[in-house]
Amino acid sequence: GEDVEQSLFLSVREGDSSVINCTYTDSSSTYLYWYKQEPGAGLQLLTYIFSNMDMKQDQRLTVLLNKKDKHLSLRIADTQTGDSAIYFCAENSGGYQKVTFGTGTKLQVIP
Amino acid sequence: DAGVTQSPTHLIKTRGQHVTLRCSPISGHKSVSWYQQVLGQGPQFIFQYYEKEERGRGNFPDRFSARQFPNYSSELNVNALLLGDSALYLCASSLSARAGDTQYFGPGTRLTVL
């Protein structure tokens, strides 16, 4: 079955790097995503990685995928107070768009 | 350009009642998916519709149903409401039904069941 796990909370100082980790169980996962959710807002897709990649960089965001260990991480460089939000790891292994989300990691950025 | 819109924003119902939630996808998008997000948890997939046909269904009881209209807007219906149905219901649209297509989420409808 599909299961996606994340730690619940992360606190970092402004300007430091944040690393949010995620593990998943479905070895047939094709796409792995990181979403951001701010209070009162919907989900915003930050980035995604295809399962045959091991790294993707997009400005301040770096995604690392260890397919052997089924481990995904999101690194945010130079974390800002505007990065405070809940970050969801998610995976898609079906032929359609059933996306399985983790429980979310709340990132708190301390000024 | 308008994003995904959902109505109503908030809704309060009592147990046993029925509710209809509405979603309008981004113009040109033909696929709509529905998710339930209980407080403190990640969203859970309920349905996906593409070209007015159901393409996927999550692990939800038959009290949950949905449909998609010719203009690609969608409705989610929940019958015989339970307290546990209280959640944020999110709608997402995408160009097609393919797994790799980016899904754009609406702001959600907050349903409270008393």
Side-chain angles (χ1 to χ4, degrees):
Chain A
E2 308 135 353
D3 196 17
V4 180
E5 294 189 359
Q6 304 175 235
S7 53
L8 291 179
F9 188 76
L10 176 66
S11 180
V12 299
R13 294 210 172 270
E14 190 174 16
D16 288 350
S17 290
S18 308
V19 179
I20 303 171
N21 294 301
C22 165
T23 57
Y24 60 97
T25 58
D26 192 340
S27 58
S28 64
S29 293
T30 309
Y31 294 89
L32 294 133
Y33 307 89
W34 284 103
Y35 282 87
K36 177 183 180 182
Q37 188 174 40
E38 296 177 272
L43 289 163
Q44 175 194 355
L45 177 65
L46 288 177
T47 186
Y48 69 92
I49 190 167
F50 193 57
S51 60
N52 67 353
M53 300 167 65
D54 50 25
M55 187 183 98
K56 182 178 181 181
Q57 187 153 3
D58 184 1
Q59 298 183 337
R60 293 191 296 123
L61 305 178
T62 303
V63 178
L64 295 177
L65 173 61
N66 181 328
K67 198 172 180 182
K68 174 176 169 287
D69 294 338
K70 300 190 186 72
H71 182 265
L72 184 73
S73 68
L74 174 69
R75 179 177 179 269
I76 306 172
D78 186 25
T79 312
Q80 303 296 307
T81 54
D83 295 324
S84 293
I86 300 176
Y87 290 81
F88 291 95
C89 170
E91 63 89 22
N92 183 317
S93 55
Y96 54 98
Q97 291 185 333
K98 179 185 176 185
V99 176
T100 301
F101 286 82
T103 50
T105 299
K106 185 172 183 178
L107 175 64
Q108 179 188 51
V109 182
I110 304 166
Chain B
D1 283 346
V4 177
T5 59
Q6 293 186 243
S7 63
T9 308
H10 296 87
L11 201 51
I12 299 174
K13 292 284 190 178
T14 56
R15 280 177 296 174
Q17 285 190 311
H18 160 270
V19 70
T20 298
L21 310 181
R22 295 177 175 83
C23 171
S24 291
I26 292 171
S27 177
H29 286 194
K30 297 182 178 180
S31 175
V32 169
S33 297
W34 287 95
Y35 291 81
Q36 180 196 63
Q37 186 178 17
V38 173
L39 195 62
Q41 297 182 19
Q44 278 198 295
F45 174 80
I46 310 175
F47 287 111
Q48 184 197 11
Y49 275 77
Y50 176 69
E51 292 280 15
K52 295 167 285 179
E53 290 190 6
E54 182 184 300
R55 287 299 187 96
R57 173 186 282 255
N59 189 22
F60 279 80
D62 291 344
R63 299 184 297 106
F64 289 75
S65 63
R67 54 180 175 167
Q68 186 176 33
F69 298 98
N71 66 353
Y72 304 109
S73 66
S74 177
E75 282 182 355
L76 175 70
N77 296 285
V78 187
N79 292 324
L81 284 166
L82 303 174
L83 295 179
D85 296 330
S86 295
L88 180 68
Y89 288 84
L90 295 164
C91 171
S93 78
S94 60
L95 280 169
S96 77
R98 290 187 303 115
D101 265 1
T102 300
Q103 292 189 72
Y104 295 86
F105 283 82
T109 294
R110 173 75 62 188
L111 172 65
T112 302
V113 182
L114 302 176

